[in-house]
Amino acid sequence: MAPVTGSERESAATDIELLRETMRIAIASRAAGNHPFGALLAGPDGQVLLRSGNTFATDKGVGHAEMNVAREAALRFAPEFLADCTLVTSVEPCCMCSGGAYWAGIGRVVFGMTERRLAELTGDNPENLTMDMPCHSVFDAGQRKVEVVVSCPQFPWTSLCPKGDRDGPAEGPPDERAGRSCCC
């Protein structure tokens, strides 16, 4: 295994801070009567360019935070610029949102919880019928390269849980912590 470089450490630190912001967006989304999901677009320098929470209350099943960001990004920025940008999202983009990010031309995706873990937590909730299709499967089917950064293990999941850490300290992302979620 190659040693971690300073720029990789800096990138990981930026990813973690951006994930924290998506959790704040998710919490605000929930407080506004929507589902607790948040996403943002970071430019090549890590600056936040766009933010969106879930908009289920107005847009129903297609009001996913990631799709909202991808749609706005495609309207505002050229694909050449978006190829160097990052979509950061609290939960892995579903196949619809992955397609939106792909067609917008966003070149990198960072997410917290996996879609599979979300399905375990939500069960057969009719407002969140997840699909067992990881985002990399959607991206791998395309001709454009999209880098996927999965569940940053350094992220302090429980520190952002709106209900607090009821079960004591936990290590690792939600998929590695049976029965606990970061946005309950």
Side-chain angles (χ1 to χ4, degrees):
M1 181 188 224
V4 177
T5 66
S7 63
E8 288 171 328
R9 268 192 294 280
E10 190 174 298
S11 178
T14 299
D15 290 346
I16 290 168
E17 187 51 43
L18 293 172
L19 275 170
R20 284 187 177 107
E21 178 61 17
T22 67
M23 291 305 300
R24 288 187 283 271
I25 296 167
I27 292 166
S29 179
R30 184 178 199 175
N34 293 294
H35 295 171
F37 301 98
L40 60 82
L41 180 73
D45 60 358
Q47 290 296 322
V48 176
L49 304 173
L50 300 171
R51 290 177 174 81
S52 182
N54 176 280
T55 54
F56 181 83
T58 56
D59 298 327
K60 302 301 175 203
V62 296
H64 293 199
E66 304 90 341
M67 186 60 110
N68 294 340
V69 168
R71 185 182 307 107
E72 188 65 25
L75 292 171
R76 288 193 189 189
F77 305 107
E80 298 79 17
F81 176 74
L82 290 172
D84 293 327
C85 291
T86 302
L87 174 67
V88 183
T89 178
S90 54
V91 176
E92 180 176 13
C94 70
C95 56
M96 174 184 71
C97 295
S98 297
Y102 176 85
W103 287 110
I106 299 169
R108 184 169 182 262
V109 173
V110 173
F111 63 86
M113 184 186 304
T114 64
E115 178 85 353
R116 180 166 286 171
R117 181 66 179 133
L118 177 64
E120 291 171 6
L121 294 170
T122 60
D124 62 357
N125 181 325
E127 291 184 6
N128 194 35
L129 296 172
T130 62
M131 297 181 76
D132 189 11
M133 182 176 292
C135 67
H136 69 80
S137 295
V138 175
F139 298 135
D140 290 348
Q143 296 177 30
R144 181 181 292 137
K145 181 186 180 315
V146 179
E147 177 187 359
V148 177
V149 178
V150 181
S151 301
C152 294
Q154 310 93 325
F155 190 64
W157 298 100
T158 55
S159 67
L160 292 174
C161 177
K163 292 183 180 178
D165 184 13
R166 300 170 307 212
D167 301 316
E171 298 299 321
D175 345 45
E176 296 173 4
R177 297 187 282 118
R180 300 186 200 171
S181 72
C182 64
C183 198
C184 17

